[in-house]
């Protein structure tokens, strides 16, 4: 049924259809649309391209190839299966240094108490009050042992993450003070990066303990502390690049110049990467790259598993081990260390570097937070589409 309306000023008659006629016409339109799609599928070999309204084409070489990979793999299913496992691996990397240090402290507890009492922050009282120093060092190391072991296991099992992160952060800050390593810039820088990773994990696991603004600030503080280790290495590259020796040999000059270029490139890369992480600008991708580079450096500088072998019923240590950077009292030189002690230092720095890499991977996993240049940054475009 069609109801005619009087003719308008433009001389065109308009008609208003009843709901019954409209539904019938919509059904006919659906049939015609399906017919057109079938014809298009026949012309394109059975493939019909469905484009969402307002969708943009992938921009950039990396994104185009990742989207192409997404078409061949079921990334959504892979993320659903592997994401919990990857989160567990990253948490294990973060607490690796605490697990190793607590085990080593429990095995050689008396040696550590002597180290804290004689070479650490209590060395001034060692001559006047040795009994008090022994008690204080025993209590401090006992608290640290409990904090490291229980805190690590609680984070791995996701039990009481609030108290676990507080305990591990407290011990990470207290350890350089107890062992008298505040002048050891490398150790302090890696400890700060480790604190940044713990703050990042705390902001993710304990959101109900604080307000929205406080959680965002905790993430910001953690992100600012994460690149401390790489800023330290950037400073090392700067000093080594400026320290060029004069020579009259052309070969030595070319070799020195090439090393200068390499150090300058490394310096610029570390400085830019640290700035990106701190500002939250492409921080997830940059943190992933820095974590991979850091893991490679750790395996190169502190491969403790290559420095020991079991022969004739006992452990033998490699005599060519280099001495890691540590702060020593004036009356002690690196030659005074036994091979086992040098090996223990390499092992400790290996797991410390592994934990700082895990801290960077936490940023890549959880994102930079709300106080960042890129608040909703996605690590991979393929991952973002898989979650839709």
């Amino acid at each position: 049924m069609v109801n005619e309306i009087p003719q308008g000023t433009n001389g065109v008659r308009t008609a208003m259809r009843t709901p019954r006629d409209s539904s019938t016409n919509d059904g006919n339109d659906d049939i015609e649309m399906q017919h057109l799609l079938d014809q298009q599928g026949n012309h394109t070999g059975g493939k019909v391209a469905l484009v969402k309204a307002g969708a943009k084409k992938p921009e950039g070489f990396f994104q185009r190839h990742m989207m192409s990979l997404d078409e061949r793999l079921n990334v959504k299913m892979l993320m659903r299966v592997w994401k919990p496992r990857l989160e567990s691996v990253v948490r294990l990397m973060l607490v690796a240094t605490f697990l190793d240090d607590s085990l080593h402290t429990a095995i050689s507890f008396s040696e550590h108490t002597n180290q804290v009492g004689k070479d650490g922050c209590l060395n001034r009282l060692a001559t006047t009050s040795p009994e008090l120093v022994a008690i204080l060092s025993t209590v401090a190391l006992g608290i640290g042992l409990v904090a490291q072991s229980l805190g690590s296991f609680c984070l791995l099992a996701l039990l009481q993450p609030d108290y676990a992160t507080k305990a591990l952060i407290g011990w990470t800050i207290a350890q350089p003070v107890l062992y008298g390593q505040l002048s050891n810039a490398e150790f302090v820088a890696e400890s700060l990066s480790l604190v940044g990773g713990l703050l990042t994990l705390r902001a993710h696991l304990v959101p109900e303990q604080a307000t929205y603004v406080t959680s965002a600030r905790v993430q910001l503080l953690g992100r600012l502390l994460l690149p401390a280790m790489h800023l330290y290495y950037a400073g090392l590259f700067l000093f080594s690049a400026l320290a060029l020796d004069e020579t009259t040999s052309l070969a030595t000059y070319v070799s020195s110049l090439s090393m200068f270029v390499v150090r300058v490139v490394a310096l610029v890369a570390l400085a830019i990467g640290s700035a990106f992480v701190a500002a939250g600008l492409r921080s997830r991708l940059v943190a992933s790259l820095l974590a991979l580079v850091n893991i490679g450096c750790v395996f190169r500088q502190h491969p403790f598993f290559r420095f020991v072998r079991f022969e004739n019923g006992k452990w033998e240590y490699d005599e060519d081990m280099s001495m890691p950077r540590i702060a020593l009292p004036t009356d002690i030189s690196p030659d005074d260390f036994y091979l086992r002690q040098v090996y223990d230092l390499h092992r400790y720095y290996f797991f410390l570097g592994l934990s700082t890499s895990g801290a960077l991977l936490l940023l890549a996993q959880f994102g930079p937070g709300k106080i960042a240049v890129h608040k909703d940054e996605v690590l991979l475009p393929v991952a973002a589409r898989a979650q839709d």
Side-chain angles (χ1 to χ4, degrees):
M1 177 179 179
V2 178
N3 298 327
E4 293 186 358
I5 300 178
Q7 186 175 1
T9 57
N10 56 358
V12 180
R13 291 182 177 270
T14 58
M16 180 177 65
R17 299 181 184 273
T18 61
R20 179 178 179 181
D21 292 335
S22 176
S23 61
T24 306
N25 187 67
D26 291 341
N28 296 332
D29 291 343
D30 293 339
I31 296 175
E32 292 178 359
M33 181 61 68
Q34 183 65 36
H35 180 66
L36 291 175
L37 289 175
D38 293 340
Q39 289 181 347
Q40 184 180 3
N42 294 332
H43 287 294
T44 57
K47 296 181 180 180
V48 180
L50 300 178
V51 181
K52 293 183 179 180
K56 296 181 179 180
K57 295 182 179 180
E59 298 179 358
F61 177 83
F62 177 75
Q63 188 174 4
R64 288 198 305 269
H65 283 74
M66 290 306 300
M67 297 296 283
S68 176
L69 180 64
D70 189 21
E71 294 176 357
R72 296 179 176 86
L73 298 176
N74 191 348
V75 180
K76 186 175 183 180
M77 182 61 66
L78 290 177
M79 289 183 60
R80 185 180 303 172
V81 173
W82 286 100
K83 185 178 179 180
R85 302 177 184 179
L86 292 177
E87 290 180 356
S88 301
V89 171
V90 173
R91 288 201 309 273
L92 179 60
M93 291 177 61
L94 181 67
V95 301
T97 183
F98 300 111
L99 292 174
D100 172 74
D101 191 39
S102 60
L103 178 62
H104 186 259
T105 302
I107 294 175
S108 54
F109 190 82
S110 59
E111 182 178 345
H112 279 266
T113 54
N114 293 331
Q115 191 175 3
V116 171
K118 295 180 180 180
D119 303 329
C121 63
L122 301 176
N123 58 349
R124 296 181 180 180
L125 299 175
T127 55
T128 58
S129 304
E131 295 83 5
L132 178 62
V133 168
I135 294 174
L136 292 178
S137 58
T138 301
V139 172
L141 285 179
I143 294 174
L145 178 62
V146 174
Q148 290 187 98
S149 56
L150 292 183
S152 299
F153 285 117
C154 286
L155 282 186
L156 290 176
L158 296 179
L159 298 174
Q160 299 295 330
D162 182 21
Y163 298 106
T165 51
K166 287 180 179 178
L168 294 179
I169 290 173
W171 174 252
T172 305
I173 296 174
Q175 191 175 24
V177 179
L178 287 176
Y179 285 89
Q181 294 296 311
L182 288 177
S183 59
N184 186 356
E186 180 180 5
F187 182 62
V188 173
E190 293 196 5
S191 298
L192 290 177
S193 297
L194 189 56
V195 171
L198 290 170
L199 289 175
T200 303
L201 184 62
R202 175 179 175 80
H204 177 72
L205 294 181
V206 199
E208 67 278 1
Q209 298 292 330
T211 62
Y212 175 82
V213 177
T214 304
S215 179
R217 291 176 179 175
V218 170
Q219 282 186 293
L220 174 62
L221 179 59
R223 200 177 69 244
L224 292 176
L225 291 177
L226 276 176
M229 175 186 59
H230 295 90
L231 289 177
Y232 164 77
Y233 284 113
L236 286 184
F237 283 120
L238 176 61
F239 285 113
S240 60
L242 295 177
L244 292 177
D245 298 330
E246 295 183 0
T247 180
T248 57
S249 173
L250 179 61
T252 305
Y253 174 76
V254 172
S255 176
S256 178
L257 183 61
S258 61
M259 289 301 299
F260 172 78
V261 174
V262 170
R263 289 164 181 168
V264 169
V265 171
L267 166 64
V268 173
L270 289 176
I272 294 177
S274 301
F276 275 35
V277 169
L281 178 62
R282 299 293 182 188
S283 56
R284 300 184 71 180
L285 178 60
V286 174
S288 301
L289 296 177
L290 290 177
L292 294 177
V293 172
N294 190 56
I295 291 175
C297 293
V298 166
F299 274 88
R300 181 180 179 275
Q301 295 178 355
H302 307 290
F304 73 98
F305 42 84
R306 296 177 53 188
F307 296 151
V308 64
R309 59 189 181 277
F310 191 76
E311 292 182 355
N312 300 324
K314 61 179 181 179
W315 292 103
E316 298 289 343
Y317 301 96
D318 192 355
E319 296 182 357
D320 297 330
M321 285 186 297
S322 60
M323 184 68 180
R325 298 185 185 93
I326 57 173
L328 297 176
T330 55
D331 56 341
I332 297 179
S333 66
D335 297 333
D336 297 332
F337 282 76
Y338 296 107
L339 290 177
R340 185 184 63 82
Q341 293 175 321
V342 178
Y343 168 80
D344 290 338
L345 288 174
H346 276 287
R347 189 190 66 197
Y348 178 80
Y349 275 101
F350 175 86
F351 285 105
L352 182 60
L354 197 65
S355 293
T356 52
S357 301
L360 288 167
L361 291 177
L362 283 174
L363 174 60
Q365 177 183 350
F366 299 135
K370 297 301 179 183
I371 307 178
V373 177
H374 288 164
K375 300 179 182 179
D376 301 323
E377 178 193 358
V378 290
L379 182 59
L380 296 174
V382 65
R385 200 177 79 174
Q387 293 175 348
D388 294 338

